[in-house]
Every structure is written in structure tokens, then in C-alpha cells.
Amino acid sequence: MTTPNHLDITLFGREYRLACPPEQQAALLQAVALVDSKMQEVAGKGRQISVDRAAIMAAVTLAHELLQSQNGSSSPTASVDTMESRRKVDAMVQRVDAAIETHQNALF
């Protein structure tokens, strides 16, 4: 259940709860949709892969696209405000890391 300071999300079929202030929830949901889409895209290119591998490959792909946009290459993400994007990505990575750690701790 999503609460004012937490957001329940689903990535690659797994549910996570992330700490997130209400004013950032819409942006985080957009980021989750982007990451989930990339994970599905990676998984659709070959044999069945683990969640961890799909997450890593999606992260590398998204980072590559971000670096291309920073280097001025022509890509769909070239108009991204890179400093703001980096700040948001760093914050999201911290939230996802915390959620994964919480999920792993709950398993053990």
C-alpha cells in the first residue's frame, strides 16, 4: 500500500516499496516505467534472464544513452538536462538500492 512518504512499485514483476516524498512520486513513477520498460526490452532479446541481470543490463543501457546525450551525439535523449537528470538518477538509484536491500533482508 502506497503511503504519503512511500511508493509501492513493480519492476520486472517484483514489488518494492521505496521511500519517496509525495512531491516526487510522479517523477519516480516515470523513472520506474522507463527502467521496467528497459528491463523488459533486455529480457525480450534472448533467453530468460534473472531480475538482477535484466536490471544491470537496463542500467548500463540507460547510462550509455545518458552519456551519449552528454557527449552531444544525436539521440532521442539529447535534450535532457544532464545535471538535473544525474541528480534524479542518483536519488533513484539510492532508493532502489535501499528497496533491494530491504527485500533481500526480508528473505533471510
Side-chain angles (χ1 to χ4, degrees):
M1 173 178 75
T2 297
T3 63
N5 292 314
H6 291 88
L7 187 64
D8 293 332
I9 64 160
T10 302
L11 277 174
F12 208 61
R14 288 193 174 178
E15 294 182 8
Y16 300 93
R17 173 168 282 189
L18 305 178
C20 182
E23 66 274 8
Q24 294 180 8
Q25 289 183 358
L28 185 57
L29 286 172
Q30 288 179 324
V32 167
L34 176 63
V35 171
D36 188 59
S37 171
K38 241 359 141 175
M39 290 175 74
Q40 298 294 339
E41 181 182 317
V42 167
K45 290 185 177 181
R47 57 179 166 60
Q48 193 169 14
I49 62 173
S50 71
V51 173
D52 293 339
R53 182 164 174 77
I56 290 167
M57 295 306 296
V60 169
T61 301
L62 290 168
H64 180 256
E65 290 172 1
L66 178 62
L67 289 172
Q68 282 183 323
S69 71
Q70 288 175 337
N71 293 331
S73 70
S74 58
S75 72
T77 59
S79 65
V80 172
D81 176 356
T82 56
M83 293 302 288
E84 179 67 11
S85 296
R86 179 173 289 167
R87 185 190 64 74
K88 287 181 180 180
V89 168
D90 288 344
M92 286 182 263
V93 166
Q94 290 174 353
R95 287 187 193 108
V96 171
D97 285 343
I100 290 171
E101 184 176 321
T102 300
H103 181 72
Q104 288 175 341
N105 289 339
L107 294 176
F108 299 107

